[in-house]
Amino acid sequence: MTAQLLNGKQLAADIRSRLKEKIAGFAAAPGLAVILVGNDPASEIYIRAKQKACAEIGIRAEAFHLPENTSQAELTHLINRLNNTPEINGILVQLPLPRHLNEKEILLAVAPEKDVDGFHPYNAGSIIQKRAGAFAPCTPKGILRLLDTTGKDLNGLNAVVVGRSQIVGMPAAHLLLNRNCTVTITHSHTQNLQKICQTADILIAALGKPEFITGEYIKPGSIVIDVGINRTENGLKGDVNFAEAAKIASYITPVPGGVGPMTIAMLLENTCEAFLKQHRS
Ligand code: GUN
């Protein structure tokens, strides 16, 4: 292995301890509402991890675990109530929602100033328009923090994003563009994906296919960010074949211990920011 590890676990721990100190100086504990509809096992694991991280640094996480058959009106009603509860500073609706619910409408119901996931169209649009003070989605925000630990100037680098989800791929591409990278967004219809990836100084793999990105996709000396969390028969796997990529890249994130812990750290950071903004106004 020649690549240096981008240690998200350590960086996230540092961020959490700084946030804990900051919160200790607040007049009240920030409040985060965590909404889960149904019993998706992966979502339950993520939600528990988010609640635990909140408790450790002094954020009051209030969990709302609603049954699978919750209606659009019931969920919207809960969100409206939380929008109007001053002790709740952030609202997180864990995705994916059950199929009968209209996800876009639900995300629109969250007050933008409490949208700590950055999924409301106001916050998503604010990233594109470079409006200050908007919430950036947690995973892409965490990716940028990891990139900054390399100390490299991102200006003018070729960034290739594999995957165009609203949660990761699209916002990651915009954040990289805002840092003056030349960004290519690729997806399941992209032709010559391997050739395009070979041009990437920064490769963001967020396609959700275990070890899809093999050594042949990697440009020598590049930075490889693996967003994949795939539960396979052989354990947890990223979207990148780590053993192959680590021989070619200069920096790489491990799975687990790379992007995952950063997503939670950025949720905590956004919740603190939401608290401060709401207490300033
Ligand atoms: N599902 C997968 N990732 C996320 C995330 O970052 N936030 C929420 N709310 N749901 C998700």
Side-chain angles (χ1 to χ4, degrees):
M1 170 162 159
T2 59
Q4 284 187 51
L5 274 190
L6 293 174
N7 187 341
K9 194 173 170 187
Q10 183 59 54
L11 178 58
D14 294 345
I15 291 169
R16 288 197 308 268
S17 78
R18 277 202 298 277
L19 289 172
K20 185 175 180 173
E21 278 175 30
K22 199 168 165 181
I23 290 169
F26 289 179
L32 174 68
V34 180
I35 305 174
L36 174 62
V37 184
N39 300 300
D40 177 58
S43 288
E44 286 184 6
I45 293 170
Y46 296 141
I47 286 283
R48 269 202 297 277
K50 289 172 184 179
Q51 286 176 261
K52 182 167 170 272
C54 282
E56 280 170 7
I57 69 158
I59 291 176
R60 203 172 36 76
E62 221 176 298
F64 297 86
H65 196 166
L66 308 180
E68 179 83 22
N69 64 359
T70 300
S71 70
Q72 185 86 12
E74 286 167 328
L75 183 52
T76 308
H77 186 262
L78 171 63
I79 292 170
N80 285 336
R81 181 160 71 74
L82 296 167
N83 284 342
N84 292 306
T85 304
E87 296 74 31
I88 293 293
N89 306 110
I91 301 171
L92 177 156
V93 182
Q94 187 63 30
L95 303 179
L97 287 168
R99 295 251 302 271
H100 67 279
L101 294 170
N102 183 333
E103 195 167 287
K104 284 196 165 72
E105 289 300 317
I106 293 297
L107 297 178
L108 196 59
V110 176
E113 66 275 15
K114 295 192 178 184
D115 171 37
V116 288
D117 255 332
F119 294 161
H120 187 285
Y122 176 83
N123 286 314
S126 292
I127 303 263
I128 295 170
Q129 295 188 353
K130 294 203 199 179
R131 278 178 198 267
F135 291 114
C138 304
T139 302
K141 190 176 175 182
I143 289 171
L144 268 288
R145 291 291 173 81
L146 281 167
L147 289 174
D148 283 336
T149 64
T150 65
K152 282 203 177 210
D153 183 1
L154 304 189
N155 253 298
L157 294 186
N158 286 337
V160 174
V161 182
V162 187
R164 57 174 160 178
S165 73
Q166 298 293 325
I167 296 179
V168 182
M170 290 301 286
H174 286 295
L175 291 180
L176 289 162
L177 187 60
N178 290 350
R179 297 285 294 272
N180 296 328
C181 291
T182 302
V183 182
T184 306
I185 304 169
T186 67
H187 46 78
S188 53
H189 296 258
T190 297
Q191 293 177 8
N192 301 323
L193 179 65
Q194 191 171 309
K195 270 214 144 53
I196 295 170
C197 289
Q198 284 166 356
T199 69
D201 302 308
I202 300 170
L203 182 64
I204 314 283
L207 65 157
K209 290 190 181 160
E211 302 187 314
F212 181 91
I213 304 290
T214 53
E216 298 86 58
Y217 285 69
I218 311 291
K219 178 178 175 176
S222 61
I223 307 174
V224 176
I225 306 287
D226 189 349
V227 187
I229 303 177
N230 305 291
R231 292 179 172 82
T232 74
E233 284 173 359
N234 302 320
L236 195 65
K237 299 283 177 194
D239 288 347
V240 176
N241 182 317
F242 183 88
E244 291 183 20
K247 285 188 198 142
I248 305 163
S250 62
Y251 295 92
I252 188 166
T253 59
V255 176
V259 174
M262 291 302 295
T263 296
I264 297 185
M266 294 300 101
L267 170 69
L268 304 173
E269 188 174 283
N270 281 353
T271 304
C272 283
E273 277 175 28
F275 174 91
L276 288 173
K277 274 186 212 148
Q278 287 160 38
H279 282 253
R280 243 179 257 138
S281 56

